[in-house]
Amino acid sequence: MSTIVDKFRISGGRPLHGRVSISGAKNSALPCMAAALLTPETVTLHNIPYVRDIITQRRLLEDIGATVLTPELRTHKITAAHVELFEAPYELVKTMRASVLALGPLLARFGKAKVSLPGGCAIGTRPIDLHLAGFEKFGAEVKLESGNVVARAPSDGRLRAADIHFNKVTVTGTENVMMAATLARGTTTLHNAAREPEIVDLADLLNKMGARVNGAGSETIQIEGVESLGGAEHTIIPDRIETGTFIVAAALTQGRLEIKDCRPDHLEGVIEKLRSVGVMIKEVNPTTLEVTCPDGLKAGNVTTEPYPGFATDMQAQYMVLMTQAQGRSEIIETVFENRFMHASELQRMGAQIHIDGRSAIVDGPTMLTGARVIASDLRASASLVLAGLIAKDETLIDRVYHIDRGYEKIEAKLRAVGADIERIIAPVMTAPILEPV
Ligand code: UD1
């Protein structure tokens, strides 16, 4: 795994040809790992991606007292039989916001939990008020103490089911509250729930553990609370954002990629949009796509939305694509504030992008030129890699630890299909690194 100062060097201009296999979805694996805290029995998860956020989540589970065995690289056997600590410490939460997913399971099973307020990607303020309001509806007392969220169940130690209306669609909020509801007394209904495939995957795991969750994938989810949950075995769904990123890579480089082990039905909104701007995406079979871009790209507007709309996690990659399209595109980001940080780096590579609040206007096509750029968050880093693949001359991307949080061996996968990309591993530092991770 990377150090904080690793870099990517990319020489652009090579079309990508060949086959690439998609890894398990990080955003599904993280809540499923947290769900293992709901039972003293063993939860076995397959197809876990080898990325940094998973290592962080594993450390969190181990700090809490769970044992995590990995008989194979992508299989985790998690047993939370002897939980001694009911908290997620700041050192872990600050690097990964999804650590807050420990809160719901700990509160539901043990009646108490403490989690430091989250950090993660620098994309807007990203509060967790909706998670906390949900726990309060379950009768928990939630307090903020010295930067920590401290939650306690009612005096009998058990949460009470509730009707919860989210006033904004939240993915991890839905997951956290859904996990807590599995052990609550009575039947909970979640309204305006997130509908992402990762929610459905988590619900599938919970039901295998003995929970009674209905309606996951729709905006109303019902959870009938049970006394206890047991062990289960589950395979994590493929990563739809990694899939989308490789579709864009094939189109941008005018190559031909076969993308296998994916679930095209999980990214229909993205595929539809990419087809409408000229990307040829053929479904070879239910888990394989073939991508080419024979007739060039044309401009197309897009607005990010919660699933099944166009994913905000594909916005940065789409922006790079539009720099190569004929005409003017408008990209409107509605899910997060401050999620255009990649734009200034792309401008330094020659892209014509004008940002106005939540709207980005991209004029294309423009020739991109290699530059020294800095990755600012996970998906922004992916967009810089994509830009580097088509830029004239060499691109040097700093702070690739962001990309290592969520893409499994991206440089190895790209190199295997013809990209000229290498990781420059920084020498071991003797002086302390003062920059926060
Ligand atoms: C998840 C994904 C992330 C993706 C995002 C949106 C994981 C681990 N991460 O993040 O990759 O970009 O969904 O698809 O699954 N909000 C509040 N209060 C809350 C919670 C959220 O106001 O309590 C706001 C956020 O600031 C944001 C919007 O709701 O504007 C959506 O956020 P949310 O869906 O919660 O994102 P995450 O679950 O953090």
Side-chain angles (χ1 to χ4, degrees):
M1 208 37 61
S2 64
T3 69
I4 185 170
V5 278
D6 282 5
K7 296 178 177 47
F8 281 158
R9 186 206 51 78
I10 308 174
S11 280
R14 296 184 169 208
L16 303 185
H17 281 280
R19 266 192 190 167
V20 64
S21 167
I22 296 303
S23 300
K26 162 189 90 80
N27 285 355
S28 185
L30 292 172
C32 287
M33 289 170 79
L37 293 172
L38 286 162
T39 173
E41 294 179 17
T42 301
V43 172
T44 303
L45 299 172
H46 303 290
N47 203 29
I48 298 267
Y50 185 62
V51 298
R52 205 164 61 112
D53 274 5
I54 295 296
I55 295 171
T56 309
Q57 189 76 330
R58 176 183 178 155
R59 242 189 84 195
L60 173 68
L61 295 176
E62 287 174 337
D63 280 7
I64 287 174
T67 55
V68 184
L69 302 176
T70 46
E72 289 165 36
L73 185 63
R74 288 177 184 76
T75 295
H76 282 38
K77 281 177 169 300
I78 307 167
T79 313
H82 306 290
V83 171
E84 287 130 26
L85 190 74
F86 305 96
E87 68 176 84
Y90 179 66
E91 290 64 47
L92 295 180
V93 184
K94 77 173 180 188
T95 64
M96 187 185 71
R97 181 187 155 79
S99 322
V100 299
L101 287 166
L103 200 51
L106 288 177
L107 180 62
R109 182 165 156 217
F110 303 102
K112 54 186 170 182
K114 183 168 147 188
V115 175
S116 182
L117 278 174
C121 280
I123 47 174
T125 45
R126 299 186 84 175
I128 57 163
D129 55 312
L130 300 173
H131 304 227
L132 304 186
F135 299 143
E136 282 179 334
K137 278 273 196 169
F138 288 143
E141 183 192 43
V142 180
K143 286 193 276 188
L144 287 183
E145 285 174 5
S146 327
N148 296 306
V149 174
V150 183
R152 276 192 177 274
S155 52
D156 64 352
R158 193 147 174 218
L159 299 177
R160 291 189 297 267
D163 238 29
I164 295 173
H165 296 255
F166 291 104
N167 60 22
K168 195 168 186 181
V169 177
T170 161
V171 178
T172 47
T174 301
E175 291 163 350
N176 225 345
V177 173
M178 184 165 88
M179 287 191 280
T182 58
L183 293 177
R185 210 184 289 284
T187 299
T188 293
T189 306
L190 307 183
H191 303 272
N192 197 25
R195 293 185 276 163
E196 270 69 2
E198 292 76 21
I199 304 280
V200 180
D201 204 30
L202 174 63
D204 285 348
L205 168 65
L206 293 170
N207 286 340
K208 286 178 190 169
M209 292 166 69
R212 298 196 186 128
V213 181
N214 275 304
S218 75
E219 49 183 54
T220 309
I221 304 179
Q222 279 211 333
I223 307 123
E224 196 186 318
V226 295
E227 292 286 328
S228 64
L229 294 174
E233 190 160 350
H234 182 71
T235 300
I236 301 295
I237 54 171
D239 195 311
R240 63 196 163 95
I241 306 302
E242 189 193 21
T243 308
T245 305
F246 276 102
I247 295 177
V248 172
L252 272 174
T253 61
Q254 302 282 307
R256 175 185 293 268
L257 278 188
E258 192 175 298
I259 301 175
K260 60 190 190 91
D261 307 318
C262 63
R263 282 283 300 265
D265 56 322
H266 287 169
L267 66 161
E268 278 171 1
V270 168
I271 288 178
E272 192 186 325
K273 173 55 43 187
L274 296 178
R275 279 187 177 141
S276 75
V277 296
V279 185
M280 186 96 86
I281 305 171
K282 201 167 103 191
E283 208 169 311
V284 178
N285 62 47
T287 59
T288 309
L289 293 172
E290 190 185 84
V291 185
T292 52
C293 191
D295 303 319
L297 293 159
K298 58 177 191 284
N301 300 341
V302 83
T303 300
T304 64
E305 279 164 1
Y307 193 84
F310 191 91
T312 173
D313 284 351
M314 280 299 300
Q315 178 257 105
Q317 301 88 317
Y318 185 80
M319 190 179 285
V320 181
L321 193 70
M322 287 302 98
T323 67
Q324 303 309 302
Q326 192 72 45
R328 170 169 284 194
S329 330
E330 182 175 24
I331 301 173
I332 301 177
E333 173 60 57
T334 71
V335 179
F336 288 111
E337 300 158 27
N338 197 17
R339 206 178 194 180
F340 284 140
M341 281 174 300
H342 43 282
S344 52
E345 296 304 279
L346 295 174
Q347 282 163 346
R348 295 182 55 242
M349 296 176 75
Q352 298 291 318
I353 302 169
H354 176 75
I355 303 288
D356 184 7
R358 294 194 160 200
S359 152
I361 303 287
V362 186
D363 284 303
T366 45
M367 154 88 85
L368 299 184
T369 321
R372 243 193 120 131
V373 289
I374 296 181
S376 55
D377 71 49
L378 173 54
R379 307 304 168 185
S381 334
S383 76
L384 298 180
V385 170
L386 293 171
L389 292 177
I390 50 163
K392 186 171 165 288
D393 304 331
E394 197 169 279
T395 298
L396 200 64
I397 306 179
D398 230 321
R399 302 195 192 170
V400 300
Y401 58 85
H402 283 296
I403 206 162
D404 292 329
R405 287 187 48 203
Y407 285 87
E408 182 173 316
K409 296 191 184 144
I410 191 166
E411 78 277 24
K413 287 189 183 186
L414 286 169
R415 223 178 15 246
V417 290
D420 184 350
I421 174 170
E422 67 169 342
R423 180 183 293 263
I424 302 171
I425 299 175
V428 177
M429 306 283 284
T430 47
I433 297 163
L434 298 174
E435 182 185 15
V437 184

